[in-house]
Amino acid sequence: MARPRAGVLALQGDVREHLRVLTLLGAEAVPVRTPAELASVDGLVVPGGESSVIDKLSRAFGLFQPLRERIAERMPVYGTCAGLILLADRITDGAPGQQTFGGIDVTVQRNAFGGQVDSFETDLDVPALGDRPVHAVFIRAPRVTQAGPGVEPLATLEDGSVVAVRQGTLLGTAFHPEMTGEHRFHALLLELMRAA
Ligand code: GLN
């Protein structure tokens, strides 16, 4: 794959920032709003935003089932914040009727650190990405409260909260690397796409 074609699910949320990072890394970055657009990409970012809204819109746009199928076929996907919630097999504190695409064998607690005013930034060790810490921004962020045996925790806060995970070709972070010039998670996604 000379130039991987990377989609960003573009129903709601901070789509443009992810398109920018993927383009900077040399991918052909495209917004995904239809099943045909989804079928055309080699991998996908599910952005931050509001997971219950992205869930509803994905069903309205006929993307919910096709997304579940692509995930089951092991398409590489990276979910940030709301995106992590959408990739979780189980969630707590969801909106009424909220569903997820699933794929990562974790339980994720929505809004685990409080509301907008409780947003915070911190430097995180992420050994899988090398020695340089990740500067992470948490905005109404979720946390992983339970993980199955196939899940690799990539980063943990001082209080023990797991905030980044990987399972096979799926990556999820509770924070927003696209907002702080941190490109290594997106680079890892592109690596998984090239290896697929
Ligand atoms: N709290 C939001 C949700 O439940 C996620 C916030 C974010 O993506 N920054 O989807």
Side-chain angles (χ1 to χ4, degrees):
M1 198 183 300
R3 193 161 179 234
R5 191 169 155 88
V8 179
L9 188 63
L11 301 174
Q12 192 260 344
D14 70 331
V15 174
R16 264 189 305 184
E17 289 77 358
H18 289 285
L19 289 170
R20 230 196 73 221
V21 175
L22 293 165
T23 304
L24 276 172
L25 291 172
E28 183 189 352
V30 294
V32 167
R33 287 190 197 86
T34 65
E37 285 166 352
L38 176 63
S40 79
V41 297
D42 308 305
L44 188 73
V45 170
V46 182
E50 175 47 57
S51 56
S52 59
V53 173
I54 298 175
D55 164 41
K56 274 193 204 139
L57 290 175
S58 73
R59 284 182 267 155
F61 281 68
L63 281 167
F64 187 82
Q65 274 310 326
L67 262 164
R68 291 181 65 100
E69 280 158 29
R70 289 296 308 269
I71 291 169
E73 290 161 4
R74 306 178 61 80
M75 171 177 69
V77 186
Y78 171 34
T80 60
C81 202
L84 166 64
I85 297 171
L86 284 155
L87 289 179
D89 282 346
R90 298 165 297 279
I91 57 172
T92 54
D93 297 337
Q98 181 171 354
Q99 297 176 35
T100 67
F101 310 138
I104 306 183
D105 181 12
V106 288
T107 306
V108 162
Q109 180 190 9
R110 208 168 141 247
N111 300 330
F113 302 98
Q116 193 81 31
V117 293
D118 304 303
S119 298
F120 63 99
E121 300 186 22
T122 190
D123 284 324
L124 280 177
D125 278 328
V126 187
L129 297 183
D131 286 342
R132 184 163 47 87
V134 166
H135 188 67
V137 181
F138 292 80
I139 304 166
R140 288 181 300 118
R143 83 173 124 210
V144 175
T145 52
Q146 179 272 333
V151 178
E152 183 189 349
L154 298 179
T156 307
L157 291 176
E158 269 168 29
D159 71 358
S161 304
V162 173
V163 289
V165 289
R166 173 177 172 179
Q167 182 173 16
T169 56
L170 303 177
L171 286 172
T173 61
F175 48 88
H176 290 275
E178 77 286 0
M179 290 182 180
T180 56
E182 170 59 66
H183 299 166
R184 286 174 288 174
F185 286 99
H186 295 79
L188 180 54
L189 174 73
L190 294 179
E191 226 174 84
L192 292 168
M193 287 164 59
R194 286 197 184 92

